[in-house]
Amino acid sequence: MAMIASAAATRTTTTTAVASTLVMSRRRPGPKGAGRLFAWLLAAMLAMPAAAHDIPDETILHAFVKPEGDRLHFLVRVPLTMLQNLNLPKRGPGYIDLPLPEERLQAAAAAAAKEIVLHENGTALAPRRMTARISEASDKSFETYAKALARIAGPKLPDSANVFWNQGYFDAHLEYPIGSERSDFSLDLRLAPGLRGRLKLILRYLPPDGSTRAYELHGGAGHVALDPRWHQAAATFLASGFRHILGGVDHLLFLLCLVLPFRRVGWTLVAVITSFTVAHSITLIAAARGMVPSGTWFAPAVEVLIAASILYMALENIVRPNLRWRWLVTGLFGLVHGFGFSFLLQSQMQLAGEHLLLSLVAFNVGIELGQLVFIGVAIPLLYLATEKLRFDARLTSVVISAFVAHTAWHWMTERWDELVKQPWPEVDATQLALWCLLTAALALLAWAALGPLLRRVPVLRRGDAEPGVKPH
């Protein structure tokens, strides 16, 4: 569609410009040896998109899916701006020339069926009957299924109606033959995968039991089960958590700083990773249960703290880290990163169906698997570079940490600029005191539980960390 192609071209131009900047920066003199190698690796990592923090304009579609007997009803409302490639006839200053030929309406409905594919028990369905209408921008019939169905089945707009080419709607009712209304239905949103943050489908699924399941899907969302079984929900959230950690550049840079001083897996590294896992699991579960502030300031504040955590870990690596107590610092920062993970989870809990707890656990497991994959790659690469290729271990750590610190500083200042624009809540002294007491109690509990254990464990053996690192 013309609008989608134009927006995608704009994004391609932006990506090309970023790539050109990186190429130019690589032509400049850079650090030698280990510094040069890891500067290239880090530049490639930083070139990855951080789509999780973008807030672009959106084009919104509305739809209903209702199985009924041997038919599946699909009602969809599409803004007219997405039909530019159909070259609809116009009159006057840009009004749609009504009535539109029926073949034009059928062609638009068929295009919608190809972009939003419905499945029964894993098999793609083909529409048997299609009805379409043009509606005015002021039309509110898609507020309910009954109103939307009546609007499409009702009379067409009069020929004299003034519907501007980019201000009205295209409404369609597609009927699919099905084997049973109790089958497993799913939807494959293939529409505009390049505009994941700019296009949104508001979908309401109406199963035979009379309930309503609401979904908010973005362009390129792919295959979505409308009433998922437990294994479907678990698989969906496991993959989502895995993709989220590996696609989140800020989280990966934090993990990189955590493991940078280490050369092999030892008890100290295990304690650090365990502390981070436990901490972010606590806040992730708390956020999923709604135990977080509701103000618009909260998300930007978390993003600022995430950037600050990366900056701190990078600077500590530069000035020689104290690995004995890194688990404690990591746990505190893990609480913040858990809130960061929860922002994606909150928007995806709609896909859990009746399996909320299972989906939450699966999402967390996916994050842990992603962390293990990243660490499983990072540690051998660091060992290879310093032990086999004979790069200076200390120089390697300092160069990478310096690049990370530079990036984290820019992230922190940019996110701070966004945070100060948000309205701040009034501070309740009693509530603040309770939170301080709770934090102190959790810290003491962690100290009591993990402190004696860590004191019995050998902290660092020869070769576990880079030379010169303080074990105590």
Side-chain angles (χ1 to χ4, degrees):
M1 297 180 183
M3 183 197 71
I4 296 174
S6 174
T10 301
R11 176 163 292 188
T12 301
T13 302
T14 303
T15 305
T16 303
V18 172
S20 300
T21 302
L22 288 172
V23 170
M24 292 176 64
S25 66
R26 290 169 185 160
R27 292 173 183 164
R28 300 170 185 161
K32 297 181 179 180
R36 180 176 298 169
L37 170 65
F38 286 100
W40 276 72
L41 292 175
L42 195 62
M45 178 180 289
L46 297 182
M48 296 170 62
H53 306 293
D54 294 334
I55 311 175
D57 294 333
E58 290 181 318
T59 298
I60 300 177
L61 288 71
H62 293 268
F64 293 93
V65 175
K66 182 178 182 180
E68 189 174 42
D70 60 352
R71 293 179 297 174
L72 182 69
H73 299 275
F74 178 49
L75 279 60
V76 61
R77 163 162 285 185
V78 181
L80 288 177
T81 52
M82 299 188 66
L83 303 182
Q84 294 184 45
N85 66 325
L86 296 181
N87 196 23
L88 300 178
K90 302 176 182 64
R91 59 177 172 81
Y95 299 126
I96 300 295
D97 190 9
L98 301 174
L100 287 179
E102 187 62 28
E103 59 268 19
R104 292 287 185 93
L105 295 174
Q106 291 291 313
K114 291 180 180 179
E115 300 286 356
I116 306 175
V117 182
L118 293 168
H119 296 256
E120 180 186 18
N121 297 327
T123 302
L125 300 174
R128 172 190 294 169
R129 180 171 174 265
M130 299 183 292
T131 307
R133 294 285 186 270
I134 298 296
S135 297
E136 296 174 307
S138 59
D139 185 85
K140 305 295 184 183
S141 58
F142 265 70
E143 291 178 347
T144 66
Y145 174 81
K147 290 181 180 179
L149 185 63
R151 168 71 193 99
I152 300 174
K156 298 180 179 180
L157 290 176
D159 298 352
S160 58
N162 293 329
V163 180
F164 209 69
W165 67 273
N166 64 350
Q167 294 181 3
Y169 299 108
F170 169 77
D171 300 333
H173 176 199
L174 292 79
E175 295 185 24
Y176 300 81
I178 57 175
S180 170
E181 64 181 17
R182 301 287 178 179
S183 299
D184 290 335
F185 297 103
S186 57
L187 179 145
D188 187 2
L189 183 59
R190 303 175 180 176
L191 192 62
L195 299 181
R196 183 177 300 273
R198 298 191 181 189
L199 186 140
K200 182 167 63 178
L201 171 65
I202 305 297
L203 174 69
R204 279 165 283 183
Y205 174 61
L206 310 174
D209 61 9
S211 62
T212 300
R213 298 195 184 282
Y215 297 90
E216 184 177 298
L217 309 175
H218 290 268
H223 211 92
V224 176
L226 299 181
D227 191 9
R229 305 291 179 90
W230 70 267
H231 58 86
Q232 292 174 320
T236 296
F237 281 83
L238 183 71
S240 178
F242 187 81
R243 288 194 304 266
H244 181 59
I245 186 65
L246 293 184
V249 181
D250 45 6
H251 300 303
L252 291 183
L253 288 185
F254 182 78
L255 285 175
L256 178 62
C257 288
L258 285 185
V259 304
L260 199 52
F262 296 93
R263 294 297 171 265
R264 60 171 60 99
V265 177
W267 284 109
T268 305
L269 178 58
V270 170
V272 168
I273 299 304
T274 301
S275 176
F276 182 67
T277 298
V278 172
H280 77 64
S281 298
I282 291 173
T283 48
L284 179 63
I285 295 172
R289 303 297 297 175
M291 300 169 61
V292 294
S294 59
T296 58
W297 60 271
F298 182 66
V302 169
E303 298 297 342
V304 169
L305 291 175
I306 288 176
S309 71
I310 301 170
L311 179 62
Y312 174 87
M313 298 306 297
L315 293 177
E316 185 182 272
N317 287 341
I318 293 174
V319 299
R320 295 183 183 271
N322 185 334
L323 300 186
R324 171 83 181 197
W325 303 110
R326 175 161 284 202
W327 68 272
L328 182 59
V329 177
T330 300
L332 294 176
F333 286 142
L335 296 173
V336 177
H337 282 255
F339 286 125
F341 295 145
S342 73
F343 296 148
L344 173 69
L345 180 63
Q346 289 171 356
S347 66
Q348 293 202 332
M349 288 307 290
Q350 57 181 332
L351 308 179
E354 298 177 350
H355 315 289
L356 298 179
L357 180 59
L358 175 65
S359 299
L360 177 60
V361 172
F363 183 83
N364 205 35
V365 170
I367 289 177
E368 307 318 318
L369 291 177
Q371 289 179 179
L372 291 177
V373 168
F374 179 77
I375 294 171
V377 172
I379 293 292
L381 284 178
L382 291 170
Y383 179 82
L384 176 65
T386 57
E387 300 296 331
K388 301 301 182 181
L389 300 181
R390 301 300 181 183
F391 290 148
D392 183 81
R394 183 63 187 148
L395 176 61
T396 299
S397 179
V398 169
V399 168
I400 296 178
S401 297
F403 274 100
V404 174
H406 175 76
T407 302
W409 171 260
H410 283 286
W411 280 346
M412 188 173 67
T413 55
E414 291 170 1
R415 296 172 184 182
W416 176 261
D417 290 340
E418 182 64 28
L419 175 60
V420 295
K421 298 176 184 177
Q422 306 300 324
W424 286 84
E426 295 183 1
V427 178
D428 187 316
T430 303
Q431 189 175 23
L432 179 61
L434 289 175
W435 275 105
C436 291
L437 289 174
L438 178 61
T439 303
L442 290 175
L444 289 173
L445 180 62
W447 180 275
L450 297 179
L453 176 63
L454 291 175
R455 282 194 289 271
R456 297 191 188 101
V457 173
V459 179
L460 288 176
R461 295 176 300 174
R462 181 182 178 88
D464 280 355
E466 65 185 41
V469 171
K470 294 183 293 184
H472 299 287

